[in-house]
Structure formats: C-alpha cells, structure tokens
Amino acid sequence: MDLVNHLNDRLLFAVPKKGRLHQQCLDLLQGSDIQFHRHSRLDIALCINLPIALVFLPAADIPTFVGEGRVDLGITGRDQVAEVRSDVEELLDLGFGRCKLQVQVPENGEYSDPKQLIGKNICTSFIGLAGEYFEKLEREASKETEKNGDNLEVEIKGGARSGITMGRLATKIKYVGGSVEAACALGVADGIVDLVESGETMKAAGLKPIATILDTTAILIKSNHPSNPQLINTIESRIRGVITAKRYILCTYNIPRAKLQAAKTITPGKRAPSVTSLDSQDGWVAVSAMVEKKNIAVVMDQLEEIGASDILVMPITNSRSHRD
C-alpha cells in the first residue's frame, strides 16, 4: 500500500478490480455521483468531486485490507468476508452478485450426500469455509457413530492464503485458485466447493449440487476505525439511495376514502403511503407509495379490483432513505 501513503487527506475506498462484481460496482459508483477517471494501468483513481481515492483490488483481498484499517471502505462478496473472518462492519447488502457457495460432485457419480465425502479429496478456493463445513460434518458423524478414529492433518496445496488454521480433518481440503470445476474430471478431487451463480458452468462440467454452505451477495463494508466517518455516512446514504431507486417504483392512484385501508394493505410503501384529499371530489383521496418493481403488475391489478382509478407508475431515478 506504499502507493497510497501520500493520500492521507483522502478516504480510501476499495472496489473489485475485475471479476463478476466489477462492472456492477462501477455502475453503482456512477449512480452515486462518485466521479473519477482511472488510467488503464493504475489501480488507484482519485475522485474529482469528493476527497476519495478508489483502490482497485482483488475482491478476495478487500476484507483483509478493510479489516486491518489499510482502507476505510470496500465492496466485496459476503463469502470473501466470511472466508477470512475479517473484523469489518457490514453497512449494506448491495443486492447484486447473488450466488451460492455449494458442494458439487460428479452428476453420475456415487455421492449424493456431503457426509459421503468425509475423508475424501475436496478442491476449493474457499479452504476456510470448506474446512469449517467439513469439520462440522465430521463432528456430527463422530457423534452418530460414537467412534474416535485417527484423523489426518488437512492438506492445503496450491498456494492457499496464509493465516487460516484448519485444525485436524479426515477430509483433505486442497486449494485451487481457478477452474475449480475441472478438478473432478481431472481426477484431482472427489468433490468441490465453489461459487455457483446460474449453475450452467457446473452443469457443463458434469457436476451437481448436494449442499449449499452459504448464500452470498455483494456488500459494502467499512473499517472499525475509518478516517472520515462523516464522509462514509454520505457515501452510504448515496449508495443506499441508488439501490432503493433500482428496486422500487413510484405508484400513484386515486381511490374512495372508504377503501383506503384496503389500498394501504396492497401498497404499504417502505414506511407508509402518502395520502392527500382530492379537492374536486369529496370522499376520494390520492395515494402515492413505493412498490417493488417485480410486484408492480400484480399490485396494479389488485388496486383496480378494489376500485382505484388513474393508476400511474413512475420510475425513481434516485432517492434518500434511512436504514430499515
């Protein structure tokens, strides 16, 4: 981090430099009006309109840098934070990069239960989470059988990150940095633990899931000792507003006051709908409420059924809201 030692007057914000979260992070920064220009070969970009320096890092390294206070703020996957047990504060679930950390085995193989993999070879880039998972399975299996056999020291091969203590396991966890899905076909592993988004890659590799260890999304994290808490609050508020705007849409309609309670049940809003009287029509009110985009068609149908009229839907380009 010698490159940023001269940036003491700027808040350091780590974002993934590549991979599945990269582009969506850039879109989020743009929506939050965090303006910057990044030179193609530099992993640091100074913001034009805020005292922020963006630091582009591998997503797997961001929890460590934030946890150690080397950078103030970061975006990474919840899986990466759990893997290194980083001491950070989660500020926001960003809602993108959704996937599962799963145990996968050959589709036409002999295994259908993760307990069948105890004592076998497992390849993964998540040796911490995989080790914890199989350690738990082994404890459960030991209680069930009431046997205390000799255990083997876990094998960690292929450049595993230091600082992770696996303990003693009969299951052999081997580190593979990429193309984990090929390990079974190449005879290196009996099963793998890897992130799965759509499942198409695993299916193409002849694999099937038999257990899910963790559901994960991209999250905004901060150091426990940030350099500029007020600026972090501003950034969090902006990002929260962008996320809300992407998730919700504004629905307005007119309805008889006698049916207002039923309408509120359909459109409760984030906190409560806005209700105003209609001057030109006694007994009628105008209602505005935020509705999740994915539900808007059904909501409009339900409003129409109870007698609402003039139902309009408008996009939200940005917003500000408190924590739920």
Side-chain angles (χ1 to χ4, degrees):
M1 298 299 290
D2 290 341
L3 290 173
V4 297
N5 285 340
H6 64 291
L7 300 175
N8 294 329
D9 58 335
R10 289 180 178 263
L11 183 140
L12 301 184
F13 189 171
V15 294
K17 65 187 297 183
K18 58 183 179 179
R20 62 189 182 87
L21 301 181
H22 175 71
Q23 186 57 52
Q24 292 181 87
C25 286
L26 296 185
D27 294 342
L28 187 62
L29 294 176
Q30 182 180 16
S32 304
D33 195 32
I34 298 175
Q35 303 173 19
F36 67 95
H37 176 69
R38 180 189 179 191
H39 295 284
S40 59
R41 294 184 177 234
L42 291 180
D43 286 336
I44 296 176
L46 302 184
C47 291
I48 301 168
N49 59 334
L50 290 168
I52 298 172
L54 297 176
V55 186
F56 293 87
L57 297 169
D61 295 338
I62 289 175
T64 298
F65 283 110
V66 176
E68 293 181 355
R70 304 293 182 176
V71 296
D72 302 285
L73 204 59
I75 295 176
T76 188
R78 182 175 283 108
D79 52 292
Q80 301 293 353
V81 175
E83 170 67 12
V84 299
R85 296 183 178 182
S86 184
D87 184 19
V88 299
E89 180 181 345
E90 179 180 331
L91 295 179
L92 283 174
D93 185 329
L94 302 177
F96 59 82
R98 192 174 302 278
C99 54
K100 299 176 183 291
L101 184 66
Q102 292 186 326
V103 181
Q104 297 259 345
V105 295
E107 188 171 11
N108 298 321
E110 59 185 294
Y111 306 117
S112 59
D113 187 309
K115 289 183 180 179
Q116 294 175 294
L117 293 172
I118 291 175
K120 306 298 182 181
N121 293 309
I122 304 296
C123 281
T124 183
S125 56
F126 292 88
I127 58 171
L129 289 170
E132 290 174 7
Y133 179 76
F134 280 98
E135 183 180 20
K136 181 180 177 181
L137 287 185
E138 290 184 20
R139 285 200 307 267
E140 292 173 352
S142 179
K143 290 179 182 178
E144 289 174 4
T145 59
E146 296 183 351
K147 292 180 181 179
N148 294 312
D150 293 334
N151 288 331
L152 299 175
E153 188 73 24
V154 66
E155 296 182 22
I156 303 176
K157 299 180 179 180
R161 293 189 294 278
S162 61
I164 300 177
T165 303
M166 297 296 296
R168 300 182 65 84
L169 292 174
T171 309
K172 292 168 280 294
I173 312 292
K174 302 177 182 180
Y175 181 86
V176 176
S179 300
V180 181
E181 68 277 2
C184 292
L186 294 174
V188 179
D190 300 292
I192 67 168
V193 173
D194 202 13
L195 287 177
V196 178
E197 191 169 1
S198 67
E200 292 302 316
T201 300
M202 296 301 177
K203 188 174 182 180
L207 300 173
K208 66 179 181 181
I210 58 172
T212 296
I213 297 176
L214 179 72
D215 290 301
T216 181
T217 56
I219 57 176
L220 178 69
I221 58 176
K222 78 168 183 176
S223 165
N224 289 319
H225 304 286
S227 63
N228 191 333
Q230 184 174 357
L231 182 55
I232 284 183
N233 290 338
T234 298
I235 296 170
E236 179 190 359
S237 180
R238 288 190 181 190
I239 291 177
R240 188 185 299 276
V242 173
I243 294 170
T244 299
K246 288 182 177 181
R247 180 180 174 188
Y248 289 90
I249 203 160
L250 186 64
C251 180
T252 68
Y253 56 91
N254 299 330
I255 195 164
R257 185 176 290 277
K259 297 182 179 179
L260 178 58
Q261 194 56 47
K264 285 183 177 181
T265 302
I266 298 170
T267 59
K270 281 205 74 181
R271 293 187 180 274
S274 299
V275 181
T276 56
S277 298
L278 290 178
D279 292 337
S280 60
Q281 285 186 290
D282 292 337
W284 280 71
V285 293
V287 181
S288 297
M290 293 171 64
V291 177
E292 286 193 84
K293 289 181 180 179
K294 63 182 181 180
N295 299 328
I296 188 60
V298 173
V299 166
M300 294 176 74
D301 293 340
Q302 292 174 340
L303 289 173
E304 192 172 28
E305 286 175 5
I306 66 169
S309 64
D310 307 315
I311 304 171
L312 301 176
V313 172
M314 292 168 282
I316 302 172
T317 57
N318 212 325
S319 69
R320 287 290 189 274
S321 60
H322 297 289
R323 293 191 182 193
D324 293 334

